[in-house]
Amino acid sequence: MSRAIHPAPLRRGTAAACAALLFVALASGTATGADPTPSPSPTPTASTPPPSGDTGLGGLDPRITAIMRKPDYRNAQWGLLQTDPDDGRVVHSLFPEQFFIPGSTAKLISVSGPWHTLGADHRFVTPLYAVGERDGATLTGDLDLVAQGDLTMGGRTRPDGTVAYTDLDHTYANDFPGATLTPENPLAGIDQLARQVRDSGITRVDGDVIVDSRLFLPDPELVPTPTPLIINDNLIDLMTTPGDRPGADARLDWRPRVAPYEVTSAVKTVAAGKPTAITVTATDGGTRIRLTGTIAAGSEPLLRTSPIGDPAAFGRVALIEALERAGVHVTADPSGANPVGRLPRDYGGRPRVAAYTSPPYAQYAKLILKVSHNLGANLGICLLAGTTHSNQCPAGFPVLADFLDQAGVDRKQAQLMDGRGGNPADRATPQVLVQMLAYWQRTPDARLFREALPILGVDGLLAENCRGCPARGKVFAKTGAAVGGDALNDRLAVGAITIAGYLDKGGGRYDTFYAGVNGASTPGADPTEVLTIANDLAMIAAYLQESSSP
């Protein structure tokens, strides 16, 4: 999800491309507002679906057809596909080869490419080189940090080596209330590098610290835009807590604290029940951040974020400050620019004095899929480009195409301009997503991939859905959405709500499935009405899992 969905009065720029589906605001065990059970339709066939048709709604659980026939969807188009992995038999099918807006279900494709190409066990090793002459504990020259496209740089790594996440990630804090932070230190990898430098015997650097970001060029067509060095998702976290009484200043905490970033707050505490409304403004390239507005007394702390304008410059200062904390003095001015003109052509023969090694890529894939991490999904395209020795992110798409061909996935049934599923041109058929899911079931990583998806009623973006229903813990699925504004009717235009993944049918059988609706609308401009549609899709997945095959 890339922009907020604002309540009425509706703004024309509202939610232009929401690419994740946040089911977390609803915790319903039943579909809401379902119509009475409709009369049955013709029974679907049990063979491969016709190229451009469908098998109707017959044979479906009547609770599913009741959802699809709700008046709210009278102008919408539904797609559905469920297959038996053992023999490829189609269990249910509705327009399986029609293009639908995928939203973040596109991440099933874009994450699969790097997972296969790099490998589930691939680890990013970010080296720090000493470029200059060393005399005892003094380096006369520079320390060059060569960024490798590590998504978290240790900022989410738990002591056991796994990557931490919350069900509603901080990258969505400006869009939805309830986003929370992981407790890990976002500068952990940088601090580790600094300690290694000190352990190498260097205590003084008569020179500079430089971040080498030549791995790939930032591509503005990918939004959010990946960078070779990423710290804290290239965000400053801003946590506001109400004061002790109405009229008191709100309390502010923020991270990561790196100069020259300065954060101030004029947020006031208002009476309980009064509106909480906080505005974040950033100036001077994002380094001067100010919060204004109100927060209700007794309310939960509210998280907001502000983007880091220059990730390489930010990383340089962070490393200089970490070196000082570790007992390594750097003579260069930390407030200066990142002096890339001093970088060598290569690092042949240069001593590596430190390196940060990431968790395995499968942990990053799990983060991306569980919370619908848009930056991480886009980063995968740039990492694929790197396997061709190109620094141009678009060069990653042919690598992804080759993988899909090898995997037996009909890539002509997908249209992608990014990794997150948020470009207006992105499209995918139910069949191509089911093919992608079926591919993983034929690999040694089948379970690892399946369990990297949100689990219904358990975690990720499906954590709060269906917590009390029989399907809880038995649906593993990626969700997606594309939501915009309808200023003409003062409502929200729901381009797509989608869900695709696996249904645990028992006995070791996991059916692959897709369900999605394009062209729905909300009654008004209240964003919770979108979540009602999202819950309908979650319940369709639950009913598919619960139902016996026809």
Side-chain angles (χ1 to χ4, degrees):
M1 195 161 308
S2 61
R3 303 185 200 174
I5 303 175
H6 301 279
L10 192 64
R11 303 179 185 177
R12 290 190 178 183
T14 294
C18 297
L21 182 50
L22 300 179
F23 287 167
V24 294
L26 290 179
S28 172
T30 59
T32 57
D35 290 339
T37 303
S39 57
S41 301
T43 302
T45 63
S47 58
T48 302
S52 59
D54 68 272
T55 56
L57 301 181
L60 279 173
D61 187 308
R63 295 172 295 180
I64 296 176
T65 54
I67 291 174
M68 291 181 172
R69 290 173 174 170
K70 286 167 63 173
D72 294 346
Y73 302 120
R74 63 182 175 272
N75 301 123
Q77 174 66 61
W78 284 93
L80 183 72
L81 185 59
Q82 178 186 348
T83 66
D84 182 334
D86 294 334
D87 56 11
R89 180 178 63 92
V90 172
V91 180
H92 297 297
S93 173
L94 190 67
F95 298 109
E97 295 185 12
Q98 179 171 307
F99 271 134
F100 287 84
I101 299 170
S104 280
T105 54
K107 291 183 175 76
L108 293 169
I109 295 175
S110 63
V111 171
S112 293
W115 186 316
H116 168 83
T117 305
L118 300 176
D121 295 327
H122 175 80
R123 296 175 186 265
F124 300 86
V125 179
T126 302
L128 187 66
Y129 291 97
V131 180
E133 299 296 327
R134 183 171 172 178
D135 183 7
T138 299
L139 171 67
T140 302
D142 302 328
L143 289 174
D144 292 359
L145 174 64
V146 185
Q148 298 294 309
D150 187 323
L151 179 57
T152 71
M153 278 299 294
R156 294 179 185 251
T157 305
R158 299 185 182 103
D160 64 359
T162 59
V163 171
Y165 62 90
T166 62
D167 293 329
L168 184 52
D169 193 62
H170 78 138
T171 54
Y172 290 113
N174 292 347
D175 300 309
F176 288 88
T180 54
L181 296 172
T182 60
E184 286 71 26
N185 173 16
L187 297 176
I190 296 296
D191 285 342
Q192 188 179 125
L193 287 169
R195 290 192 296 268
Q196 289 181 32
V197 172
R198 179 64 182 83
D199 291 345
S200 75
I202 296 174
T203 60
R204 180 181 177 86
V205 178
D206 283 335
D208 217 320
V209 170
I210 311 173
V211 172
D212 185 340
S213 291
R214 293 178 292 187
L215 181 67
F216 60 81
L217 299 173
D219 185 345
E221 292 297 317
L222 300 175
V223 180
T225 303
T227 52
L229 180 67
I230 297 172
I231 298 175
N232 201 44
D233 300 312
N234 292 340
L235 296 171
I236 301 293
D237 294 318
L238 310 160
M239 185 70 80
T240 299
T241 303
D244 296 331
R245 65 187 185 284
D249 291 339
R251 295 186 291 273
L252 173 69
D253 192 16
W254 62 281
R255 70 174 204 181
R257 293 178 179 259
V258 172
Y261 279 72
E262 294 182 3
V263 181
T264 58
S265 174
V267 177
K268 294 292 185 180
T269 306
V270 295
K274 293 289 186 180
T276 292
I278 296 178
T279 299
V280 178
T281 57
T283 56
D284 293 345
T287 62
R288 300 294 181 268
I289 302 169
R290 184 166 178 78
L291 287 75
T292 56
T294 59
I295 187 169
S299 63
E300 292 295 319
L302 182 68
L303 179 64
R304 291 286 185 264
T305 63
S306 187
I308 293 171
D310 187 339
F314 182 88
R316 172 185 174 272
V317 179
L319 182 52
I320 291 174
E321 292 179 349
L323 288 164
E324 294 287 349
R325 291 194 296 270
V328 181
H329 177 64
V330 179
T331 60
D333 180 2
S335 65
N338 186 41
V340 294
R342 296 166 61 103
L343 292 172
R345 174 173 295 184
D346 58 53
Y347 295 93
R350 317 281 186 179
R352 191 176 82 171
V353 294
Y356 175 74
T357 301
S358 76
Y361 178 77
Q363 282 291 312
Y364 284 166
K366 183 176 182 179
L367 167 67
I368 296 167
L369 294 170
K370 290 287 189 186
V371 309
S372 209
H373 198 286
N374 291 324
L375 180 63
N378 280 342
L379 175 64
I381 302 299
C382 301
L383 296 176
L384 289 177
T387 66
T388 69
H389 306 291
S390 172
N391 68 349
Q392 305 288 327
C393 290
F397 284 105
V399 182
L400 180 59
D402 288 344
F403 157 67
L404 294 175
D405 291 344
Q406 296 169 24
V409 176
D410 183 4
R411 60 183 168 92
K412 297 297 184 182
Q413 294 192 48
Q415 298 174 173
L416 291 179
M417 282 294 292
D418 62 10
R420 70 184 182 94
N423 189 284
D426 290 349
R427 296 291 186 274
T429 69
Q431 190 169 82
V432 75
L433 294 175
V434 165
Q435 287 176 349
M436 188 76 266
L437 293 160
Y439 160 79
W440 284 108
Q441 291 180 301
R442 304 188 296 270
T443 73
D445 288 338
R447 179 177 178 180
L448 194 62
F449 184 84
R450 181 174 67 248
E451 294 181 354
L453 299 172
I455 303 173
L456 188 67
V458 176
D459 65 15
L461 293 181
L462 289 172
E464 296 300 328
N465 289 86
C466 211
R467 292 181 71 105
C469 66
R472 181 179 187 269
K474 299 178 182 179
V475 175
F476 306 77
K478 185 72 198 74
T479 59
V483 181
D486 177 7
L488 179 65
N489 298 292
D490 193 26
R491 62 183 181 180
L492 297 174
V494 184
I497 303 289
T498 56
I499 184 169
Y502 303 100
L503 306 168
D504 183 353
K505 305 296 284 188
R509 170 183 160 186
Y510 293 89
D511 282 12
T512 51
F513 84 99
Y514 165 96
V517 61
N518 276 193
S521 303
T522 60
D526 185 346
T528 62
E529 295 168 351
V530 176
L531 295 172
T532 300
I533 301 174
N535 195 64
D536 281 350
L537 268 294
M539 295 314 302
I540 287 175
Y543 298 150
L544 288 173
Q545 188 281 324
E546 295 172 18
S547 302
S548 299
S549 299

